Amino acid sequence: MSRQLIRGLRPLGGPPGLLPTASGRFFGGSAPELPAVQVRSTFLDFFRQKHGHLLVPSSPVRPRGDPSLLFVNAGMNQFKPIFLGTADPRSPMASYRRVVNSQKCVRAGGKHNDLDDVGRDTYHHTFFEMLGTWSFGDYFKEEACRMAWSLLTEHYGISADRLYVSYFGGDAASGLQSDEETRHIWLDMGVPPGHLLPFGLKENFWEMGDSGPCGPCTEIHYDHVGGRDAAKLVNANSPDVVEIWNLVFMQYNREADLSLRRLPQFSVDTGMGLERLVSVLQGKRSTYDTDLFTPLLHALHQRSRVAPYGGRTGSEDQDRVDLAYRVVADHIRTLSVCIADGVHPGMSGAELVLRRILRRAVRFCMEVLQAPQGTLASLVPTVTHLLVKYKLNHSCQNCVLSVSNPDSALLSPASVAWSLHRDLGFPLDLVDLMLEDRGVQVDLTCPVSQVSSEQAGADLSVMLDVLSLAELQRLGVPHTDDSLKYGYRLEKDRYEFPTCRATVLALYDGEALVSEVPEGRRCGVVLDLTCFYSEQGGQSHDRGYFTRHGLQDVVFPVEAVLRAGGYVVHQVTAADSLETGDQVHLHLDQVHRMSCMVKHTATHLLNFALKKVLGSSVQQRGSHVSADRLRFDFTGSLSVSQLQQVERCVSDMVTANQIVHSQELPLQRAKSIRGLRTVDEVYPDPVRVVSVGLPASELLDHQTDRETSVELCCGTHLLRTGDIEDLVIVSERQMVKGISRVIAVTGREAARVSSWPHVLIGRSKCRRLDSAQRLSKEVGVLSDAVDSTLIPQWQRSELQARLKALQRSSNTTVRKLETREKNGRKELLVDSVETDYLSVVMKTVNQLSSVAPLSHVMLLAHQQHSGKVLCACQVPKDSPWIAASDWAVAVCRHLGGSAGGSALVAKGTGTSSDISKALRWAEQFARQKTQR
C-alpha cells in the first residue's frame, strides 16, 4: 500500500519530470511562481487543517528566559521547556501535542553565526523564517516522514525525482547503530535506494547542546538541476543541491558524561527555511531572486547611484556592488524585526551584535552603493509590507534613521583596531572589511590583554534533568504544593509567615534520583510542600534553612530554590545524611523575604508611575527584584523633572497605604482587564492578578474608570503599600537606543541616600595652601564618586553643578595662596584618597598638579576588599630632584608591587595593611631626594 502511495505521487501526465498537483498545476520553469505568502500559508494550513496541529504564534527574536542564546535561532527555542520537562503544568504549553508555526529566527553571533557569510554567496541570511512542526509524545518517525513527503510532492508539486533523502548511518565510536527504522520507512514510501543516503554524526545527528535531548535526523535535499544522478552532491556544499527540510527524532538524552540514555517520551522537531523553500518553488537558484527580496533590491536601486542588482559573486563581482545589495537587503530585514521585538543596537550581548549589523549595513549602503544618508531607514516600509504577518512598527524606521554615518577611513594596526573596539565599540568585523577594501591585511587576533578571564568555578546548580523529571512523573510523585509562599498575613502591623513541615519526596545528586545523600553532598531536594519562593518572574528566590525532624540542631542551609516542571527544587549541601521520606521543618529568612516583597510591590508602583508620566505607550522590557534593590527596564527615557514626577507618584501611593490585592483568574478573563500591564512571557492558566487599591474583580468588564496598578504576577507582595516607606531612583541610564534602565532603593536605604550631603559645609574658606589643595582634591574625588554613589538620580546634576563651583573657588584660593609662598619653594604633597579605582587616583593627582604646578604630588588609595594599594604621582616639568617613575617604582617595590610611567607621571600598585606607614615611607623617600 505504501508503494502504491508513492506511485500516486509520481507524474501521471504532462511534461516529463513535472508533477501535477491536486489543482492540475505542474511544477517547473513554465509554471506560475507561487508567492512567498502563499508558500507560508500552504505549510501552516496543511498541518493545521489536515493533520490537527495547533498553530502557535512566532515568539519574539529576544529569547524568553534563556541566557544561553543571544537571539532565537530555531523554531524549537520557545518549546525547550517541553523538551526539558520543565514546562509549568498549569501553562497552555504543557498541553501541546501537535504544533506548527513559522518562527522568526536570527543567526548572528553565538554558536550559529551566519553574519560573516551574508553577501558573499546567494543564500546565507542573518534573519530567516523557520517553518516548523512538532510532536510532543504523539506521532513519531513514520507519520513525520509521510506528512513531509506529501506536502512537498502533492501540495507544493515538487518532482520526487529531484528529492534526495539523508538519514543517520550510525557511529561506531559512539556505539550508535544506523537508523534503519527511518531508512525502511523511506524505502516503503517508494524513495529509490539511490536517492536514500547515510551520513554520520555531523550531518544527521542533532543535539540541543552539550547535554540534553538529542537524536538522529533525516533531511530532504533538492536538486535544482534535475534529470541526473546528484547523490554525490548531497551534503557537499553544492549550491545546486540544497537541504530544504530537516526532521529530527528526539529519542535520547545526552548526559554530562557524554553517554546517551533513551528518553521516556519521544518527540519530533522539523524545520524548513521559508526563504530556501520559496527559491525552490519559484525556480530560483538564489533566495535573493525571490519575491521576499526583489522588492527590497528594487527599492534600494532607486536610491543608489550604481547599476541594478545582477546576482554576481566572487571574482565576477569586482566592485562588490552585488555583495553590498545582498548585505543591505538582508540586514534591513534583521534590523526591522529585531527592533520591533525590542532588541535595539547597543553595547553588549545581542544589542552589540545588532549594532554591528547596523553599522555594516550603513557602510555598504553609503560607500559601495553610493546611496544618500537615510536610505536604509527608507527601506523599512518595504520590509513591513513583505513581513506584514509579523506586524512590524514605525520604531524600526525611526531607530535606523537615527544612526549616523560610520567612519569611512581607517588604516589600522591591530592595537589601534582593538582600542577602537574596546573603547568605542567599533566592530572588528567592520574594521576587517574596510581593511580588505584597501588591500591591507592585519592580524586582528585578540591580544592577551584583551582576553577577559573566564568566570571562576563551575556552575554549581543542581537541577533536575529531563530524564529525572520524567522518572518523577512515572513514579507518580505529585507536584510540589508551594501555596504557603502566599500564606503570610498582617497581625498588629507585623507580617507573620506560616510554619511548614514537609516530607522529602525525592533527592537528586546531579546525575540521577537517589534514595539517600550522605553528609557533605550537594543535592536537590523535592518536598511535598514548601513555603519557599522559587526564582521566577524576575524575583530572587527565598533564603533560609530546614532541619530534619528529631535532629533540630543540624541545619541544612537552602542555597537556591528553583522550579522545574511543577516541582520546586531546594538546593542544599547536606549537613547530615538525608533520605526520601524524612520529615523536615522549613525556616524562612523572613528579613530577606520582606525585602524582596517590598521591592516587588515597589516595582509595580514604579511601572504604573512610568505609565502615568510617560504615557500608555511605555513598555516594560525587563525587571529584577532582589533584597537590596530593584531594576526596571522600559522603553523611552526620563528627564530630571520626569524623574521627580515618577518618585512623587510612587510616594503618593505609598502614603495612601493602599491594599494590595491578589486573585487567581482564568488567563483569558484576566487579559480583559483594562490597563493590565503584561510582558512577553508564557503565563499559567489560571493566572495570579496583583492589583493595588482595587480587587481584580472590580477591574473586570470596565466596572470602574479608576486607573491603578494591575499586573499578571506570580511574585510575593506586600499587603499594604505603606510598608514600602519610600522609593528613590538612584540610577537612570540608556541601555540601548530607546530603552532605559532605572535602579531604585526603598525603605531605610532610600532615606539614607536622600540625606547624602549636597555641599561640603564649612570648607569654603582656607587659610593654608595644604588645606586648599586638600579641598581641591576632595572635590575632584567627590565629582567622580557622584556617578557611582547611591543618591537620588534627579539630584546628580545639581550636585555636579555645586561641586564644579566649589572646585573653581578652591582653585582660585590655591592660586592666591601660591603667590604668597616663597618663590622656588619645593612643595611636597603625599596623601591618601578613598577609592577603588586607579583612574580616580590618577585624575585627582592631575587636578592637584594643575592647581599647584610646582608641587611634587603622590596619592595612595587602599582597596579594602583586596588589600592592594593604588599609587599615582606627578612632578613638575624638568624637576631636577626626582622623576615620577623613580618615585612610584621605589614606593611600589617597597610595598611588594611594581610601577611604571614617565619622568612626569607614573602609577603602580602594591600591598600593605597599613596605609599610614606607606604614606610616611613615600614622603620620606621624596624629601631625601628634594633636599639634596
Side-chain angles (χ1 to χ4, degrees):
M1 182 174 179
S2 299
R3 297 193 183 278
Q4 291 176 349
L5 171 65
I6 196 64
R7 281 198 296 271
L9 300 179
R10 292 176 176 172
L12 300 178
L18 300 183
L19 178 71
T21 65
S23 62
R25 182 179 67 86
F26 286 94
F27 178 82
S30 61
E33 293 183 357
L34 192 65
V37 64
Q38 190 174 339
V39 174
R40 184 195 298 115
S41 63
T42 297
F43 179 91
L44 299 176
D45 291 344
F46 174 82
F47 285 98
R48 184 167 57 91
Q49 297 175 3
K50 293 183 177 296
H51 296 283
H53 286 60
L54 174 69
L55 177 59
V56 174
S58 169
S59 68
V61 294
R62 180 188 291 276
R64 291 169 173 156
D66 190 347
S68 67
L69 295 175
L70 291 174
F71 301 98
V72 166
N73 57 26
M76 58 79 59
N77 289 163
Q78 69 168 311
F79 305 115
K80 281 176 72 172
I82 303 178
F83 292 123
L84 297 174
T86 61
D88 190 325
R90 301 170 300 165
S91 70
M93 185 178 289
S95 64
Y96 290 170
R97 292 297 176 265
R98 296 182 174 206
V99 167
V100 62
N101 89 339
S102 177
Q103 173 65 49
K104 298 174 287 186
C105 298
V106 174
R107 290 189 175 174
K111 178 182 177 181
H112 299 287
N113 182 12
D114 290 340
L115 180 57
D116 294 337
D117 295 319
V118 169
R120 299 181 187 275
D121 55 38
T122 61
Y123 51 87
H124 273 100
H125 303 289
T126 52
F127 166 78
F128 66 98
E129 291 184 62
M130 181 73 84
L131 304 173
T133 62
W134 291 267
S135 165
F136 304 111
D138 193 331
Y139 60 83
F140 201 43
K141 295 182 180 180
E142 181 170 3
E143 295 89 335
C145 293
R146 290 190 181 278
M147 284 187 281
W149 197 260
S150 173
L151 175 64
L152 293 178
T153 59
E154 289 184 293
H155 295 265
Y156 284 139
I158 298 177
S159 172
D161 294 339
R162 292 196 178 197
L163 297 179
Y164 293 79
V165 179
S166 65
Y167 68 95
F168 180 55
D171 184 79
S174 303
L176 288 170
Q177 296 181 348
S178 172
D179 187 4
E180 291 299 303
E181 179 184 3
T182 298
R183 186 176 77 89
H184 284 295
I185 290 171
W186 288 118
L187 288 174
D188 289 345
M189 289 171 55
V191 175
H195 283 224
L196 189 57
L197 312 168
F199 286 91
L201 282 172
K202 180 182 177 182
E203 298 85 359
N204 281 88
F205 195 90
W206 186 91
E207 306 202 39
M208 184 181 293
D210 293 335
S211 61
C214 57
C217 63
T218 182
E219 296 176 332
I220 303 175
H221 302 254
Y222 176 78
D223 177 18
H224 276 287
V225 177
R228 60 175 180 168
D229 181 3
K232 63 180 180 298
L233 297 178
V234 173
N235 284 333
N237 294 321
S238 168
D240 292 333
V241 179
V242 294
E243 172 215 332
I244 57 175
W245 206 341
N246 186 11
L247 286 65
V248 179
F249 306 127
M250 295 194 193
Q251 60 191 84
Y252 301 107
N253 188 70
R254 177 73 72 180
E255 301 294 300
D257 62 2
L258 301 183
S259 63
L260 292 173
R261 294 168 62 189
R262 289 180 73 85
L263 289 167
Q265 173 181 287
F266 293 170
S267 298
V268 175
D269 170 10
T270 84
M272 177 163 54
L274 173 67
E275 290 76 7
R276 188 168 292 182
L277 176 63
V278 170
S279 70
V280 168
L281 296 179
Q282 293 183 0
K284 310 294 185 183
R285 299 292 183 90
S286 167
T287 53
Y288 291 92
D289 292 334
T290 68
D291 64 350
L292 287 168
F293 287 92
T294 50
L296 270 175
L297 296 171
H298 176 73
L300 187 53
H301 171 60
Q302 296 298 105
R303 299 293 301 274
S304 72
R305 291 191 290 272
V306 296
Y309 176 67
R312 297 166 300 170
T313 60
S315 59
E316 295 181 359
D317 188 23
Q318 288 287 346
D319 51 8
R320 296 161 62 94
V321 166
D322 287 341
L323 180 148
Y325 269 117
R326 289 188 290 270
V327 167
V328 175
D330 170 86
H331 288 8
I332 191 59
R333 287 176 15 124
T334 304
L335 288 162
S336 300
V337 170
C338 287
I339 293 170
D341 280 352
V343 184
H344 291 70
M347 290 299 292
S348 63
E351 287 80 8
L352 178 58
V353 174
L354 199 65
R355 187 172 184 229
R356 291 172 174 170
I357 291 173
L358 180 55
R359 280 183 162 173
R360 194 167 185 252
V362 171
R363 177 194 171 250
F364 276 107
C365 190
M366 299 181 68
E367 288 190 20
V368 181
L369 299 181
Q370 303 174 36
Q373 193 166 357
T375 296
L376 199 63
S378 72
L379 299 175
V380 174
T382 305
V383 177
T384 303
H385 174 73
L386 292 172
L387 300 179
V388 64
K389 172 182 186 292
Y390 298 115
K391 301 178 181 178
L392 308 184
N393 55 46
H394 294 296
S395 67
C396 312
Q397 188 168 12
N398 295 333
C399 181
V400 176
L401 187 61
S402 67
V403 72
S404 60
N405 183 19
D407 298 334
S408 58
L410 190 67
L411 291 171
S412 172
S415 59
V416 177
W418 273 97
S419 177
L420 287 170
H421 175 65
R422 180 193 66 237
D423 300 330
L424 302 176
F426 203 85
L428 288 174
D429 57 347
L430 190 54
V431 173
D432 202 22
L433 284 171
M434 297 168 80
L435 292 173
E436 183 181 323
D437 281 351
R438 290 159 176 78
V440 179
Q441 290 186 342
V442 175
D443 183 6
L444 293 179
T445 303
C446 179
V448 175
S449 59
Q450 302 294 336
V451 179
S452 59
S453 60
E454 295 184 4
Q455 186 176 358
D459 182 9
L460 298 178
S461 63
V462 181
M463 196 57 186
L464 294 169
D465 63 13
V466 61
L467 293 174
S468 298
L469 285 166
E471 180 68 6
L472 289 176
Q473 295 168 4
R474 187 188 68 81
L475 295 173
V477 176
H479 292 148
T480 309
D481 178 2
D482 62 348
S483 57
L484 279 177
K485 66 187 178 187
Y486 301 128
Y488 48 90
R489 64 183 187 276
L490 266 174
E491 289 289 340
K492 297 180 180 180
D493 295 329
R494 287 179 59 86
Y495 282 80
E496 291 192 358
F497 295 88
T499 59
C500 182
R501 178 174 174 176
T503 302
V504 177
L505 298 183
L507 296 168
Y508 181 69
D509 66 358
E511 297 180 357
L513 296 176
V514 294
S515 59
E516 180 181 4
V517 291
E519 178 183 347
R521 175 65 63 86
R522 206 161 186 273
C523 63
V525 182
V526 177
L527 307 173
D528 59 338
L529 72 159
T530 183
C531 60
F532 281 60
Y533 181 83
S534 56
E535 181 144 358
Q536 56 184 323
Q539 179 178 328
S540 296
H541 61 76
D542 278 340
R543 296 177 182 172
Y545 64 93
F546 58 73
T547 58
R548 207 172 70 203
H549 184 64
L551 198 64
Q552 300 301 312
D553 58 337
V554 178
V555 173
F556 293 77
V558 176
E559 301 159 4
V561 188
L562 304 174
R563 190 180 192 88
Y567 298 102
V568 175
V569 183
H570 307 74
Q571 296 186 2
V572 304
T573 299
D576 195 71
S577 63
L578 195 63
E579 301 179 13
T580 55
D582 281 349
Q583 300 289 307
V584 294
H585 297 270
L586 277 65
H587 302 268
L588 180 69
D589 184 337
Q590 297 182 11
V591 173
H592 180 271
R593 164 68 82 82
M594 271 298 300
S595 296
C596 289
M597 288 164 55
V598 167
K599 304 301 186 299
H600 207 149
T601 303
T603 300
H604 283 216
L605 301 190
L606 176 63
N607 192 3
F608 178 74
L610 287 168
K611 177 186 174 183
K612 292 284 288 185
V613 173
L614 296 179
S616 58
S617 63
V618 65
Q619 297 292 324
Q620 177 179 345
R621 290 301 188 195
S623 68
H624 187 263
V625 172
S626 62
D628 57 344
R629 63 181 62 184
L630 65 90
R631 185 195 77 212
F632 193 84
D633 301 343
F634 62 97
T635 56
S637 60
L638 293 166
S639 64
V640 172
S641 62
Q642 288 173 329
L643 279 165
Q644 293 175 291
Q645 292 177 49
V646 168
E647 286 190 359
R648 282 197 297 269
C649 182
V650 173
S651 179
D652 290 343
M653 289 186 283
V654 171
T655 302
N657 198 24
Q658 296 174 298
I659 296 176
V660 180
H661 300 271
S662 298
Q663 180 180 350
E664 277 200 348
L665 291 173
L667 181 58
Q668 291 305 315
R669 180 88 165 128
K671 287 184 175 181
S672 68
I673 295 176
R674 186 169 64 92
L676 180 72
R677 308 288 280 175
T678 61
V679 294
D680 179 46
E681 288 184 1
V682 178
Y683 291 100
D685 192 3
V687 67
R688 191 172 178 84
V689 182
V690 177
S691 56
V692 175
L694 293 171
S697 56
E698 294 186 23
L699 297 170
L700 287 165
D701 304 322
H702 307 289
Q703 296 181 29
T704 178
D705 292 331
R706 178 179 164 186
E707 291 186 340
T708 189
S709 167
V710 54
E711 300 187 29
L712 306 182
C713 183
C714 62
T716 58
H717 286 269
L718 297 171
L719 301 178
R720 287 189 174 275
T721 60
D723 297 319
I724 296 173
E725 296 181 8
D726 195 8
L727 178 139
V728 171
I729 297 174
V730 296
S731 172
E732 191 264 348
R733 63 189 180 94
Q734 192 173 67
M735 300 297 295
V736 295
K737 182 70 176 179
I739 298 182
S740 297
R741 168 172 292 177
V742 295
I743 295 175
V745 293
T746 60
R748 293 180 181 178
E749 182 69 2
R752 187 186 70 81
V753 302
S754 295
S755 63
W756 203 81
H758 292 188
V759 292
L760 298 174
I761 305 301
R763 302 296 303 277
S764 59
K765 294 183 179 180
C766 300
R767 298 289 184 262
R768 295 176 53 199
L769 180 59
D770 58 348
S771 61
Q773 290 172 327
R774 189 169 291 109
L775 173 61
S776 177
K777 174 190 68 175
E778 290 173 351
V779 172
V781 172
L782 284 172
S783 295
D784 288 320
V786 161
D787 287 336
S788 58
T789 302
L790 290 180
I791 58 175
Q793 178 69 17
W794 61 268
Q795 291 178 333
R796 290 186 195 276
S797 57
E798 180 184 349
L799 273 172
Q800 289 286 22
R802 293 190 181 187
L803 287 169
K804 287 180 180 178
L806 191 57
Q807 182 79 74
R808 288 193 296 268
S809 175
S810 65
N811 290 347
T812 301
T813 302
V814 167
R815 284 192 294 269
K816 289 180 179 178
L817 291 173
E818 280 180 336
T819 61
R820 301 176 189 174
E821 297 287 340
K822 184 179 179 179
N823 290 336
R825 178 179 175 184
K826 301 187 289 289
E827 288 291 330
L828 180 65
L829 176 61
V830 179
D831 207 340
S832 64
V833 292
E834 294 184 4
T835 180
D836 287 337
Y837 302 99
L838 186 56
S839 60
V840 174
V841 183
M842 287 290 295
K843 185 173 182 180
T844 309
V845 166
N846 181 262
Q847 289 174 333
L848 288 173
S849 297
S850 66
V851 298
L854 300 179
S855 296
H856 295 66
V857 181
M858 174 175 280
L859 294 180
L860 304 180
H862 194 205
Q863 283 186 332
Q864 297 296 331
H865 67 279
S866 67
K868 281 188 177 181
V869 174
L870 311 178
C871 171
C873 66
Q874 186 168 336
V875 303
K877 186 176 181 181
D878 300 322
S879 172
W881 297 285
I882 187 172
S885 57
D886 293 341
W887 192 9
V889 167
V891 172
C892 291
R893 281 182 178 175
H894 176 71
L895 300 177
S898 61
S902 66
L904 294 181
V905 294
K907 61 182 179 179
T909 60
T911 304
S912 176
S913 59
D914 191 342
I915 191 71
S916 299
K917 288 184 180 179
L919 289 168
R920 286 195 297 270
W921 196 95
E923 184 172 353
Q924 183 180 2
F925 178 87
R927 288 199 182 281
Q928 290 175 351
K929 297 289 185 180
T930 57
Q931 289 173 1
R932 291 179 180 177

